[in-house]
Amino acid sequence: MIDNYGRNINYMRISVTELCNLRCRYCMPEEGIQKRGHEEMMTAEETIDAAKAAVSLGINKIRITGGEPLVKRGIVRLCREIAQINGIEELCMTTNGTLLRTYAKELKGAGVNRVNISLDTLNTEKYKDITRMGNLQEALDGIEASFEAGFDKVKINVVLMGGFNDDEISAFVALTMDRPLEVRFIELMPIGGGIDFDKARFVSCQEVLAKAPQLESLNMSDGVAGMYRLPGAKGRVGLIRPISCEFCHGCNKIRLTADGMLKPCLHSDDEISIKGSTQDEMVEIIRKAILDKPKMRNQLDADNPSRAGRDMNRIGG
Ligand code: SAM
Ligand code: SF4
């Protein structure tokens, strides 16, 4: 569906849970979050209805996210049902990867086309520190399990943090040499737990090009990522610059939170409830959310944090 500013809105991110088995410092509070009652959250049936309603309006790409989507009970069945909706061209998942050893094959069988795995460091101690509890080996196993399950375009999301992983840029870029991996560097956003974190840690994607000058621009983008490649490499490198390069004019997304709120824009606290509605009502609510999508986000930097009004684990990235 075309919005009021001529953008074709064809992509919906659906967060299926606020809960997570990690506590990344820039995303979630250390104590985790209070588990809410089932009656406050979308049921699987409501989520499927919302996906069908969105598809009827021209959404053809859906990304399942969270919290951590793989801690959600019934996640494989939910993916299967969404993948079967007539009109879905791409069903993807963003995950921290730690449970993919268990789920990768089932997800592939259920019709998930691609997985994006979040991994901010290749160092065991640093991984434990940034996630406050995680085991690097589980995430690395998850990447291997994804290849073994037959996912051919595995993407790794790396949030750039100064003084934390800017010394690993070359190592991440090197991963793309021999395997068809796409490593995507993402600028840290001042949102949720990232607000305090951001002030000291922000590093622009320009730093990737400075640290890996061999990267050649492919003069194309893959979604919001500008694409690069090492000469002769099997994989690619993507740079996602939500801060240093505003991309609202090309935004094609809406978001649905696990508690049933539609967010027309990531950085606005404008939310419209869809929970408890019939599928027909959802069609009208989603249509309105698309038409309400703002032209541009507000100024976004360490002094002007996002007005999203939620931590990232309660939005879905
Ligand atoms: N748990 C899953 C994961 O980590 O991939 C899915 C949810 S997570 C909220 C989705 C993405 O948002 C992750 O790639 C994470 O690194 C990113 N993210 C969270 N907080 C962020 C922030 N303040 N700035 C930039 N990216 C952030
Ligand atoms: Fe969990 Fe993902 Fe947030 Fe890390 S980034 S705390 S894995 S939801």
Side-chain angles (χ1 to χ4, degrees):
M1 177 177 156
I2 306 296
D3 77 357
N4 280 332
Y5 303 100
R7 298 171 294 198
N8 183 16
I9 311 301
N10 67 345
Y11 176 17
M12 180 151 85
R13 293 178 74 105
I14 301 181
S15 172
V16 294
T17 179
E18 300 177 346
L19 304 177
C20 187
N21 55 349
L22 301 180
R23 300 278 182 276
C24 299
R25 291 178 184 275
Y26 51 79
C27 176
M28 245 181 135
E30 183 164 13
E31 63 281 9
I33 58 155
Q34 190 74 33
K35 187 170 183 198
R36 293 158 74 193
H38 282 302
E39 67 290 349
E40 291 180 65
M41 311 309 283
M42 291 284 274
T43 62
E45 283 61 37
E46 285 175 325
T47 305
I48 293 160
D49 279 352
K52 286 181 179 163
V55 169
S56 77
L57 291 167
I59 298 288
N60 55 25
K61 171 174 174 180
I62 288 184
R63 175 173 302 281
I64 304 295
T65 174
E68 173 48 44
L70 295 179
V71 303
K72 168 89 177 162
R73 203 142 35 98
I75 186 65
V76 175
R77 190 199 130 219
L78 184 62
C79 289
R80 184 174 294 113
E81 299 264 352
I82 292 178
Q84 282 170 359
I85 298 172
N86 233 337
I88 290 280
E89 289 173 16
E90 238 184 299
L91 177 63
C92 311
M93 177 179 285
T94 299
T95 165
N96 62 37
T98 56
L99 297 171
L100 275 174
R101 175 55 70 197
T102 307
Y103 286 112
K105 255 197 199 120
E106 284 184 77
L107 291 173
K108 182 82 176 121
V112 174
N113 303 107
R114 208 175 53 233
V115 286
N116 287 26
I117 300 170
S118 302
L119 181 67
D120 299 329
T121 174
L122 298 168
N123 175 289
T124 305
E125 289 309 312
K126 282 162 77 177
Y127 186 82
K128 192 163 192 180
D129 177 60
I130 196 70
T131 61
R132 294 199 183 101
M133 61 208 308
N135 178 340
L136 174 67
Q137 196 54 50
E138 289 176 359
L140 296 177
D141 283 351
I143 296 172
E144 291 312 314
S146 307
F147 279 116
E148 287 163 22
F151 287 106
D152 48 2
K153 270 172 79 187
V154 175
K155 298 187 181 182
I156 311 278
N157 287 353
V158 185
V159 176
L160 273 175
M161 288 168 274
F164 177 74
N165 60 6
D166 47 349
D167 60 338
E168 295 187 67
I169 289 174
S170 309
F172 272 112
V173 168
L175 294 180
T176 65
M177 199 60 207
D178 298 324
R179 304 188 82 174
L181 274 173
E182 188 171 310
V183 172
R184 297 149 61 98
F185 293 96
I186 305 172
E187 290 174 351
L188 178 64
M189 290 185 277
I191 182 170
I195 293 178
D196 292 331
F197 206 70
D198 177 73
K199 285 206 166 82
R201 299 290 190 182
F202 178 77
V203 176
S204 104
C205 275
Q206 213 43 40
E207 191 64 17
V208 175
L209 299 177
K211 290 258 165 66
Q214 327 82 297
L215 282 174
E216 294 170 346
S217 171
L218 295 177
N219 293 316
M220 57 167 288
S221 56
D222 177 3
V224 289
M227 297 311 303
Y228 296 79
R229 194 195 292 274
L230 285 175
K234 289 200 174 126
R236 308 190 298 179
V237 171
L239 302 185
I240 303 181
R241 313 170 194 237
I243 306 292
S244 66
C245 176
E246 174 275 306
F247 39 59
C248 302
H249 60 279
C251 182
N252 61 347
K253 292 180 204 145
I254 51 169
R255 293 174 166 81
L256 176 62
T257 67
D259 57 350
M261 303 304 271
L262 280 168
K263 280 185 86 67
C265 169
L266 169 61
H267 297 298
S268 160
D269 62 2
D270 192 16
E271 299 183 344
I272 311 160
S273 175
I274 205 167
K275 187 169 167 53
S277 305
T278 64
Q279 196 180 314
D280 285 347
E281 288 164 347
M282 287 180 183
V283 173
E284 289 319 307
I285 301 170
I286 297 172
R287 190 194 307 279
K288 183 170 177 328
I290 291 176
L291 293 176
D292 280 351
K293 211 174 143 57
K295 185 172 181 193
M296 269 183 78
R297 64 163 164 75
N298 296 304
Q299 167 79 11
L300 201 58
D301 54 45
D303 297 321
N304 297 282
S306 172
R307 300 179 190 174
R310 288 169 176 253
D311 283 342
M312 271 299 232
N313 67 295
R314 298 194 54 232
I315 302 173

